[in-house]
Amino acid sequence: MQLSFEVDPSAPISLQSQLVGQISTSITTGRLKPGTRLPGTRALSEQLGVSRNTVLLAYAGLAAEGFVETREGAGTYVSPASPEPPKFATHATASTPRAATPPPASVPPALTYDFELEGIDPDLFPSAVWRRLMIRRMQSARFNLTRAGDPQGAPELRAALCRFLGATRGMSVEPGQLVVVSGIQQAMTAVGQMLVRPGTPVVMEAPGCSMIAPLYQRYGAEVLPVPVDADGLMVDRLPTCRGGVAVVTPARHFPLGGTLPASRRRTLLDWADASDAHVFEVDFDSDFQYEGSPQPSLQTMDRRGRFIYAGSFAMTIGPGLRIGYLILPHDLVQPALEAVSLLEHAWPIQGMGAPWLDQAVLTDFIDSGGYDKHLRTLRRAYMQRRDAVVAGLARHFGAPDLLGMVSGTHLVWRVPEHLPDAAECEARARTAGIAVHTLKFRTISGAETLPGWERHLLLGFAALKPAVIATMLDRFDASLR
């Protein structure tokens, strides 16, 4: 790499100071990004026509000020977080002016920690097991990436999923009812392609997932928000309509975390029968149940083929796997295949679908018991992290009023009246470099339908170690004081 720098031997300041000034200015103005590898000292000295010692001393000065870091055997790199320009670089030449420094109030503080919803801890990924399973598949005589996969998904994966869902969600389904997709969003889009037309009523939870309304409105849907409480969808508020789809999260309501009681589930399915509608269960993170047993899926109550289900491995293995699945009544399987093929721009070509190797490795992971062991590891780790959040809140603010305790990867804290409201808490936390989230989070819509929504804070914990959580809550408390 050659840097677009020049030095002037006739200038009244040293070549070393000129070089320091130009590099530091390039870093602070964003021309040189964090992590950028700088030229070697010999290469830069030859480019500029200066001695190598000049470059060495300039790099040493920049490193001392925190602008760059030297990695043994790898070179010199722009630091991930650089300071203000050093004092000895204030006399840079006029040809390299500094960017005006904005007033401190206009610069948002950098975030150090984030109670991110739907976070993933990469340290918990079973890398060794996954690598071993992948190598075994690649060494198999059947390994052939030139072969197109089944557009419905690998039959062995669909069979493994049927066994898994039968045991964990009580579902009685056949491999022919499953369609493998790239994730929840593709599943939701495929359902829209199949069932939503101009004027089709689409019932959604409020608050609920923010992608539902804009996605189905693109197909002309009439979106009908229905309020929720601590137990999920308030089924006594379901609208009177004909046809359409109710999109629900009964296993763990997103974002409040409630589990829909059996009586409400029956009422919901009765409403679907009376309204000639389908019920679409979206399952984000029901695999993390900390207390009691998970509720069976709505499918166990469906007797008239009105149930559709979407799940994925984004929260258990990682979004990078890009494998999810749809479960459908038999008469909707072919329309779903056509919808997915259209979404992949492959229709009418057959034999596309999700990557064959990823499906094969995932099948082995499930059938070998590795996935079940991985889930147990995640549940233990996440329960410790959940408890660290509860303990930290109690230590600083007294016994917390929490939703979503029994499952999932985030908690909803109803902020006590003696503290500022959620928006003010969020703003003050940012001054300490911490992100907490309100019901106006980017993946949530319909917050204003929940009474007292402005006093609800969301704290995701899956990606955070317990010690880090304790530190974050210490700083959060200090920011509120």
Side-chain angles (χ1 to χ4, degrees):
M1 177 193 294
Q2 288 189 317
L3 301 180
S4 57
F5 293 158
E6 291 183 2
V7 292
D8 182 3
S10 63
I13 59 174
S14 69
L15 297 174
Q16 175 191 334
S17 293
Q18 291 182 52
L19 186 54
V20 167
Q22 293 191 53
I23 294 176
S24 63
T25 298
S26 294
I27 292 172
T28 57
T29 58
R31 288 173 55 204
L32 287 176
K33 307 296 185 187
T36 300
R37 189 179 189 277
L38 298 181
T41 54
R42 191 182 306 278
L44 187 55
S45 68
E46 292 174 355
Q47 174 192 332
L48 299 177
V50 300
S51 72
R52 189 182 179 197
N53 276 345
T54 296
V55 179
L56 282 168
L57 290 170
Y59 277 10
L62 289 162
E65 293 292 333
F67 280 94
V68 303
E69 58 184 27
T70 300
R71 304 174 189 174
E72 187 173 352
T76 302
Y77 294 79
V78 177
S79 298
S82 298
E84 290 298 310
K87 294 181 178 62
F88 59 78
T90 56
H91 302 292
T93 62
S95 61
T96 58
R98 297 188 187 283
T101 303
S106 69
V107 181
L111 289 176
T112 307
Y113 302 111
D114 192 346
F115 283 106
E116 174 74 11
L117 274 65
E118 303 144 30
I120 295 287
D121 186 349
D123 293 342
L124 296 175
F125 180 75
S127 303
V129 175
W130 193 268
R131 187 182 305 112
R132 184 171 66 250
L133 293 173
M134 180 168 285
I135 290 172
R136 189 175 72 181
R137 279 285 180 166
M138 293 176 69
Q139 292 175 339
S140 166
R142 297 179 57 198
F143 177 70
N144 184 357
L145 287 180
T146 64
R147 172 168 57 89
D150 187 322
Q152 192 168 341
E156 59 268 31
L157 175 58
R158 289 186 280 120
L161 286 170
C162 286
R163 292 189 292 270
F164 176 77
L165 293 168
T168 60
R169 299 300 312 279
M171 299 174 72
S172 178
V173 292
E174 303 167 0
Q177 293 178 255
L178 270 75
V179 175
V180 175
V181 294
S182 65
I184 293 287
Q185 185 159 1
Q186 190 182 62
M188 296 180 72
T189 304
V191 169
Q193 287 245 12
M194 288 190 295
L195 300 178
V196 180
R197 301 290 181 268
T200 299
V202 172
V203 170
M204 59 172 285
E205 299 161 327
C209 176
S210 64
M211 78 170 72
I212 296 171
L215 176 61
Y216 291 146
Q217 283 169 339
R218 289 172 57 191
Y219 298 109
E222 179 190 4
V223 174
L224 304 172
V226 174
V228 301
D229 59 17
D231 290 326
L233 188 74
M234 298 174 68
V235 293
D236 59 334
R237 306 283 290 275
L238 285 165
T240 300
C241 57
R242 294 294 298 171
V245 187
V247 187
V248 293
T249 54
R252 186 177 194 270
H253 173 260
F254 180 83
L256 298 184
T259 299
L260 198 65
S263 60
R264 294 196 190 187
R265 294 169 182 241
R266 283 190 293 270
T267 301
L268 174 61
L269 288 171
D270 289 344
W271 169 88
D273 287 340
S275 304
D276 191 26
H278 286 89
V279 176
F280 182 19
E281 176 175 351
V282 180
D283 191 350
F284 289 112
D285 56 1
S286 70
D287 291 301
F288 308 118
Q289 184 82 19
Y290 309 120
E291 300 171 17
S293 300
Q295 283 271 2
S297 167
L298 280 172
Q299 190 264 349
T300 61
M301 296 181 176
D302 181 29
R303 296 292 179 266
R304 305 208 178 167
R306 301 196 176 277
F307 173 80
I308 303 170
Y309 178 95
S312 84
F313 297 90
M315 292 298 295
T316 55
I317 295 178
L321 183 62
R322 305 305 299 162
I323 292 182
Y325 49 93
L326 268 171
I327 297 175
L328 306 122
H330 288 285
D331 63 312
L332 289 181
V333 172
Q334 187 57 37
L337 283 172
E338 295 173 8
V340 171
S341 296
L342 283 168
L343 293 171
E344 294 177 347
H345 307 288
W347 181 257
I349 299 171
Q350 294 294 321
M352 301 301 287
W356 171 83
L357 181 58
D358 289 345
Q359 293 187 67
V361 175
L362 179 57
T363 302
D364 294 342
F365 193 42
I366 294 171
D367 284 345
S368 67
Y371 185 55
D372 187 52
K373 181 179 179 182
H374 175 58
L375 288 178
R376 291 197 301 272
T377 299
L378 292 180
R379 287 188 199 106
R380 284 194 297 269
Y382 292 170
M383 186 156 50
Q384 291 174 349
R385 297 170 189 200
R386 178 204 66 175
D387 292 347
V389 173
V390 176
L393 291 175
R395 183 171 66 254
H396 292 295
F397 309 110
D401 181 6
L402 296 168
L403 300 173
M405 279 286 290
V406 301
S407 63
T409 58
H410 74 267
L411 294 173
V412 182
W413 178 36
R414 289 187 280 215
V415 180
E417 293 294 333
H418 69 274
L419 294 178
D421 65 19
E424 179 66 16
C425 286
E426 181 182 39
R428 293 198 195 182
R430 279 191 168 267
T431 66
I434 296 167
V436 297
H437 305 285
T438 72
L439 285 174
K440 292 293 188 179
F441 189 67
R442 62 180 179 273
T443 59
I444 300 168
S445 65
E448 62 281 353
T449 62
L450 181 72
W453 69 269
E454 68 280 355
R455 301 206 65 82
H456 289 66
L457 273 182
L458 286 76
L459 305 172
F461 51 79
L464 303 168
K465 307 289 193 298
V468 172
I469 290 171
T471 299
M472 292 170 70
L473 290 174
D474 288 346
R475 293 190 182 186
F476 178 48
D477 178 38
S479 74
L480 296 182
R481 295 181 186 280

